[in-house]
Every structure is written in C-alpha cells, then in structure tokens.
Amino acid sequence: MAQAFRPNTAGSLFATDGKAHPLQDTLLAVTLVLGVIAFVTAMFHGLHLISSWAGLVGIATGAYGQFISVTTRERFGLILGLGASAVGFFLGMANGGLFGGVFG
C-alpha cells in the first residue's frame, strides 16, 4: 500500500497512467485553443470566416484526438474543445460560411 501515498510525478498533466502523451496533449491544446477562437469569433457577424475555419479545423483535430486519446482527462478536454469548435463552426456557417463574401 506504500504506492498509494506517493504522488504521481511522472507523465503529463492530463495522463493518469503515469506515461507522457505528447501528441495527445498537443492535440488537446490545439483543439481547446481553436474551440475558444471559434466560439468567441462566432459572436461577431463580420468574423464568420475566422469562426467557421477555426471551428472546422478544431473539429478535425478534436476528432483525431478522440481517436487516439488514452486517458479520460484527455477525452474530457477534447470534448470541451470539440463542443466549442462545433458551436463556432455552425454559427460561422450561419453567418456567411467558409467563403462567404470572398468570391461574390
């Protein structure tokens, strides 16, 4: 039972198995950042290009991150980023889309 009293110092912040997951942590950070960008810029009608593209890329990185994630903590953060990316993407698409106003 001595292992129950030792703190977990190895591994990353989001890894509960004691191993480092640099690719998964990077995808988590990218998905969260893109989700925040997509969600915030979706609140402004003129920024629909940023919102829709950031949301689309955030959905793609989050989906791949979910596919290769190892721990529950990683999956939790990815779901938050995916949700924010999806909301930003859909609101950006409703306000003009990926190419709205660029070619017309």
Side-chain angles (χ1 to χ4, degrees):
M1 262 331 253
Q3 70 274 13
F5 296 107
R6 289 188 212 143
N8 182 11
T9 58
S12 68
L13 176 65
F14 300 106
T16 56
D17 59 353
K19 299 175 186 172
H21 305 124
L23 177 61
Q24 290 86 349
D25 292 343
T26 303
L27 287 171
L28 171 63
V30 168
T31 303
L32 284 173
V33 167
L34 288 172
V36 168
I37 290 170
F39 186 78
V40 169
T41 57
M43 303 305 157
F44 303 99
H45 179 71
L47 298 177
H48 62 86
L49 289 173
I50 297 171
S51 177
S52 56
W53 280 107
L56 183 63
V57 175
I59 290 170
T61 58
Y64 183 66
Q66 281 285 71
F67 182 69
I68 65 168
S69 66
V70 179
T71 65
T72 304
R73 289 183 186 176
E74 293 167 353
R75 292 183 191 114
F76 179 76
L78 285 167
I79 289 295
L80 290 177
L82 271 168
S85 294
V87 169
F89 174 71
F90 291 132
L91 288 175
M93 291 300 287
N95 286 329
L98 296 169
F99 300 108
V102 176
F103 295 117

